[in-house]
Amino acid sequence: MTIGTLAKQAREFSRALDDEKHALKQDDFGWYPYGTLNNFDHLRALLGKTKHEDVLSLAVDGAIADIGAADGDTAFFLESLGYSVDAIDYPPTNYNGCRGLRVLREARKSAIGIHEIDLDAHFELPGARYGLAFFLGILYHLKNPYGAMESLSRIARHALVSTRVTRYNVAIERQGQQGLNSKRVELTDIPAAYLVDSHECNNDPTNFWMFSESGLKRLFDRCGWDVLEYTSLGDTKKSDPATAEHDERAFCLLRSRHWQP
């Protein structure tokens, strides 16, 4: 199945799943408000017209891991296509404490695995081996991205990773302000990771590391991954780690060098 076809099916599934959520009428919590299945459109930009267009064929060696599952939209979609899926998230940082994920699994009579794991405290996934891991939008929320990527390389043969990246350390309109980060510096060619202040990015203290492009690629290499495909979306000229208007996201397909057949 090409990534274009997969993205189309993901959009159709998303609409149907939104109807299911509305019908469930949960009053004690809110559903995760962002469309995680929209990631398949971004993956089309990454994989379209490449030899990896049939990306789900990479899952042949084992189950699929959906890391940072939110309400499980991606996990349920992949299950609908016939794949065995583990959904991994952590209630204290999940939007609704993983209640949405569990309500949907029960309502859909789903067989996906739900695993509550603090990836910062101990990155150990429930499955011994995964052919493919979805690790989208999570890396910059982790305190120890190096440990996470290295641990993942030992149990997943391939990984789809997205994370926020930055070309400058500070937004144009914020340069010159007093403090440790007053001078605007270009980071593109420096293998660096910028540590945001607790409320600098979206007023969200769970944001930590924003890599430069070269820093992200070096992280992958040092952790045992080969980059098969790479693209970035958003503001690819003047991105910064703090403002929504200068948001840039990297999307990558990786293959582990640590995988043992």
Side-chain angles (χ1 to χ4, degrees), residues 3 35-47 134-140 159-165 167 213 216-217 220 227-234 236 247-254:
I3 188 62
T36 55
L37 286 170
N38 293 336
N39 278 318
F40 283 92
D41 285 315
H42 302 319
L43 294 177
R44 181 175 57 180
L46 171 70
L47 303 169
F134 283 73
F135 197 26
L136 303 175
I138 304 301
L139 197 62
Y140 65 102
L160 287 163
V161 179
S162 73
T163 189
R164 186 163 177 172
V165 292
R167 295 176 186 268
E213 179 178 316
L216 184 62
K217 289 179 177 178
F220 293 151
V227 179
L228 301 181
E229 306 289 350
Y230 182 99
T231 194
S232 61
L233 305 172
T236 61
D247 185 304
E248 181 180 2
R249 306 282 167 141
F251 285 80
C252 324
L253 173 63
L254 311 177

Side-chain angles (χ1 to χ4, degrees), residues 73-100:
D73 296 26
T74 297
F76 294 121
F77 171 57
L78 294 171
E79 183 186 44
S80 76
L81 299 177
Y83 293 91
S84 175
V85 187
D86 281 333
I88 296 100
D89 215 315
Y90 186 50
T93 56
N94 180 276
Y95 184 79
N96 51 42
C98 292
R99 286 177 288 178

Side-chain angles (χ1 to χ4, degrees), residues 196-250:
V196 300
D197 188 69
S198 58
H199 298 287
E200 185 176 1
C201 180
N202 199 30
N203 200 32
D204 183 354
T206 73
N207 293 314
F208 293 100
W209 298 103
M210 306 289 182
F211 287 90
S212 66
E213 179 178 316
S214 54
L216 184 62
K217 289 179 177 178
R218 179 164 290 180
L219 172 75
F220 293 151
D221 182 62
R222 290 290 304 272
C223 293
W225 295 97
D226 292 327
V227 179
L228 301 181
E229 306 289 350
Y230 182 99
T231 194
S232 61
L233 305 172
D235 187 345
T236 61
K237 302 295 184 181
K238 298 181 292 184
S239 58
D240 65 59
T243 63
E245 60 268 31
H246 298 300
D247 185 304
E248 181 180 2
R249 306 282 167 141

Side-chain angles (χ1 to χ4, degrees), residues 6-258:
L6 192 62
K8 179 181 178 181
Q9 292 189 5
R11 289 193 296 272
E12 294 170 351
F13 185 88
S14 180
R15 288 192 290 269
L17 191 62
D18 284 345
D19 289 341
E20 289 183 37
K21 292 177 183 178
H22 181 73
L24 287 170
K25 296 181 180 178
Q26 298 299 310
D27 296 324
D28 59 337
F29 68 84
W31 298 103
Y32 185 68
Y34 305 107
T36 55
L37 286 170
N38 293 336
N39 278 318
F40 283 92
D41 285 315
H42 302 319
L43 294 177
R44 181 175 57 180
L46 171 70
L47 303 169
K49 299 181 181 179
T50 73
K51 64 180 180 181
H52 300 108
E53 268 200 306
D54 185 10
V55 66
L56 293 186
S57 67
L58 300 178
V60 68
D61 294 306
I64 296 177
D66 179 19
I67 305 170
D71 289 339
D73 296 26
T74 297
F76 294 121
F77 171 57
L78 294 171
E79 183 186 44
S80 76
L81 299 177
Y83 293 91
S84 175
V85 187
D86 281 333
I88 296 100
D89 215 315
Y90 186 50
T93 56
N94 180 276
Y95 184 79
N96 51 42
C98 292
R99 286 177 288 178
L101 183 57
R102 294 190 177 279
V103 166
L104 280 172
R105 184 178 66 172
E106 181 178 355
R108 295 178 59 83
K109 297 181 171 54
S110 166
I112 69 166
I114 296 178
H115 306 275
E116 299 177 356
I117 301 172
D118 182 354
L119 298 178
D120 267 325
H122 192 56
F123 196 104
E124 183 174 332
L125 301 190
R129 296 161 70 84
Y130 294 97
L132 180 63
F134 283 73
F135 197 26
L136 303 175
I138 304 301
L139 197 62
Y140 65 102
H141 290 291
L142 297 181
K143 297 175 184 176
N144 184 10
Y146 192 111
M149 290 307 305
E150 187 174 49
S151 297
L152 185 61
S153 72
R154 301 191 184 280
I155 57 173
R157 186 171 188 180
H158 296 90
L160 287 163
V161 179
S162 73
T163 189
R164 186 163 177 172
V165 292
T166 188
R167 295 176 186 268
Y168 290 89
N169 62 312
V170 66
I172 295 174
E173 59 271 23
R174 298 184 186 180
Q175 63 181 327
Q177 295 180 357
Q178 292 184 347
L180 296 175
N181 193 37
S182 59
K183 184 178 179 181
R184 184 170 163 89
V185 178
E186 185 173 0
L187 305 174
T188 305
D189 296 324
I190 302 172
Y194 174 82
L195 177 61
V196 300
D197 188 69
S198 58
H199 298 287
E200 185 176 1
C201 180
N202 199 30
N203 200 32
D204 183 354
T206 73
N207 293 314
F208 293 100
W209 298 103
M210 306 289 182
F211 287 90
S212 66
E213 179 178 316
S214 54
L216 184 62
K217 289 179 177 178
R218 179 164 290 180
L219 172 75
F220 293 151
D221 182 62
R222 290 290 304 272
C223 293
W225 295 97
D226 292 327
V227 179
L228 301 181
E229 306 289 350
Y230 182 99
T231 194
S232 61
L233 305 172
D235 187 345
T236 61
K237 302 295 184 181
K238 298 181 292 184
S239 58
D240 65 59
T243 63
E245 60 268 31
H246 298 300
D247 185 304
E248 181 180 2
R249 306 282 167 141
F251 285 80
C252 324
L253 173 63
L254 311 177
R255 179 174 59 207
S256 172
R257 298 194 299 272
H258 292 154

